[in-house]
Amino acid sequence: AFLRGLRREAAFWVCAYANRQHSLDSELGENLDSTSFYRAMNAAVGVLLVLDQKATSLTRIWCAFEEFEAVELSGAYKNIDMKSVEQTRMLDIVICHEGEPVVLSEGPVYHDTIDHKVTLSKASREERFPIDVVKTGLNLSLGDAEATQSSDKERILQWMEKKGGV
């Protein structure tokens, strides 16, 4: 919240706590875009992916779905100016490294603009992100992602393929 310049009262949606993880069958319909987490991400200004040192979230198909949709919904790779940052959905990735949170952000964050050296501030902030976790993420394959229900994995991969992402 601090990096994005959000108020202290800013609310965050946490998927792990927002869904009944062991009874998702009642939540899931035919279309993935009718799920509560899809609708919540569509309404949110951004998604924060929290990683452990093994990048476990990146090995789970439902997490991959959420990341895919966060990037899809953000219209990723467009030019971002600081006047529109608050109106643009973004995917940020955070990890605790050496006892401190380190955030990789899509584009600059409000905090990067304070000293008017946006690119340098962003690079300095992100250089502490553990390179071994980045390598792990880059070497993963969606085809190897895990799911409790194999039908979920098939459905999500088909969804991504239909949208041109696999």
Side-chain angles (χ1 to χ4, degrees):
F2 171 74
L3 287 177
R4 288 275 175 212
L6 300 175
R7 294 183 329 269
R8 199 175 168 105
E9 306 81 40
F12 291 85
W13 182 73
V14 180
C15 177
Y17 304 123
N19 292 316
R20 294 183 184 139
Q21 298 294 313
H22 299 290
S23 62
L24 282 176
D25 289 343
S26 62
E27 158 68 22
L28 303 177
E30 282 295 312
N31 296 320
L32 295 175
D33 59 0
S34 66
T35 61
S36 62
F37 39 95
Y38 178 89
R39 292 189 315 269
M41 284 190 305
N42 194 32
V45 294
V47 172
L48 179 65
L49 172 63
V50 180
L51 292 179
D52 60 12
Q53 297 299 320
K54 295 180 183 178
T56 304
S57 298
L58 299 177
T59 68
R60 304 294 302 166
I61 197 67
W62 277 109
C63 293
F65 167 73
E66 292 171 356
E67 295 149 21
F68 177 86
E69 286 304 319
V71 171
E72 177 85 7
L73 291 169
S74 76
Y77 309 113
K78 61 185 167 196
N79 290 329
I80 298 172
D81 63 37
M82 290 314 297
K83 294 175 189 163
S84 65
V85 163
E86 290 183 34
Q87 300 157 351
T88 306
R89 288 187 182 91
M90 298 196 183
L91 171 65
D92 293 341
I93 303 170
V94 66
I95 191 167
C96 185
H97 182 64
E98 297 177 354
E100 295 288 327
V102 182
V103 178
L104 293 179
S105 62
E106 180 181 338
V109 297
Y110 172 78
H111 183 73
D112 295 334
T113 66
I114 292 172
D115 65 3
H116 305 289
K117 297 178 183 174
V118 177
T119 304
L120 180 60
S121 293
K122 180 174 169 33
S124 296
R125 175 174 48 79
E126 293 183 344
E127 73 181 352
R128 294 182 19 251
F129 200 94
I131 195 69
D132 55 320
V133 176
V134 173
K135 287 179 184 176
T136 297
L138 291 173
N139 288 318
L140 293 173
S141 168
L142 278 176
D144 296 330
E146 299 171 358
T148 304
Q149 304 284 331
S150 60
S151 60
D152 287 351
K153 180 177 175 177
E154 293 168 20
R155 192 163 63 167
I156 290 169
L157 291 174
Q158 288 172 358
W159 172 270
M160 291 176 173
E161 185 174 5
K162 221 185 325 182
K163 288 192 155 192
V166 177

